[in-house]
Amino acid sequence: MSTRLNKLLAQRGVGARRKCDLLIQQGKVRVNGRVELEPGVQVEPERDRITVDGRPLAGAATLR
C-alpha cells in the first residue's frame, strides 16, 4: 500500500508534516538511495528504503 512521503515521515515521528516537507525540499530525505525533493511522491513503506539525514526511518509504532 503506497502513501505520500511527507505523511509517512510524520506518522513515523520525524516531525509535523510541514517540517517533513521542508526536510524533503532541503534534500535530506533519500528513497532507495536517491534524493527525493517532492513531498507528495508515493512510497511503499514495506518495500522502499527511506533515510533521513543518513539515518534509516524508524519502523511503525505499535498501537496498544
Side-chain angles (χ1 to χ4, degrees), residues 4 6 8-9 12 15 17 20-23 26-27 30 32-34 36-37 40 42-44 47 51-52 56-57 64:
R4 290 186 329 270
N6 60 353
L8 177 67
L9 294 176
R12 299 285 175 93
R17 202 183 70 213
C20 294
D21 287 347
L22 289 175
L23 288 173
Q26 291 170 353
R30 291 180 176 263
N32 297 326
R34 261 186 60 218
E36 189 58 60
L37 299 175
Q42 296 290 317
V43 295
E44 293 189 29
R47 276 190 7 198
T51 59
V52 179
L57 186 62
R64 293 190 262 163

